Amino acid sequence: MIEITAYSNYHIATIMIAEANMEQADVFKHELITAIDSGQKQILISFENVQYIDSSFLGALVASLKYALTKGGDLAVYGLNENILNLFEMIRMDKVFKVFKVVPASYEDGWVAG
């Protein structure tokens, strides 16, 4: 579901599916929580492959962020297509998650733009 790679001083979790929906939401959340528990605390989630996202997957994303924050971590997103970005803005998810158009340079007590 996700592929995690080290980058700079954080990790990138690339979602490997085109449709991020209810069927994949629990697996997605489990994989992110497993990564956080293994010490990958700052994770940039890449939506480059995602064409569609539903409310169940958004819920898993928010739950994962809450979990990361309780463990001293942080999540951000990038690579949103125009429709998903519009959805994030419409439901104000862009106020919950830091949204990047390009990969950030680093994480230094917060995300540092590239």
Side-chain angles (χ1 to χ4, degrees), residues 53 58 82-92:
I53 187 169
L58 286 171
E82 185 177 345
N83 291 332
I84 296 174
L85 179 58
N86 287 338
L87 175 64
F88 264 61
E89 291 170 347
M90 183 172 62
I91 63 173
R92 301 182 60 83

Side-chain angles (χ1 to χ4, degrees), residues 10 23 26 28 32 39 45 54 56 68-69 73 84 99 101 107 110:
Y10 61 91
E23 293 177 15
D26 285 338
F28 170 75
L32 273 181
I45 302 168
D54 74 3
S56 297
L69 293 173
I84 296 174
V99 178
K101 293 184 181 190
Y107 188 92

Side-chain angles (χ1 to χ4, degrees), residues 1-43:
M1 158 87 48
I2 60 175
E3 287 185 4
I4 299 179
T5 56
Y7 182 87
S8 183
N9 60 343
Y10 61 91
H11 290 82
I12 298 176
T14 303
I15 301 171
M16 302 305 294
I17 55 173
E19 292 193 17
N21 57 37
M22 182 173 68
E23 293 177 15
Q24 292 88 20
D26 285 338
V27 173
F28 170 75
K29 183 171 78 171
H30 174 74
E31 289 183 10
L32 273 181
I33 287 172
T34 299
I36 293 162
D37 285 343
S38 72
Q40 300 169 8
K41 303 263 188 228
Q42 287 73 35
I43 300 174

Side-chain angles (χ1 to χ4, degrees), residues 54-76:
D54 74 3
S55 60
S56 297
F57 204 90
L58 286 171
L61 186 61
V62 171
S64 298
L65 174 62
K66 287 181 178 182
Y67 186 81
L69 293 173
T70 66
K71 299 294 185 177
D74 198 4
L75 302 179

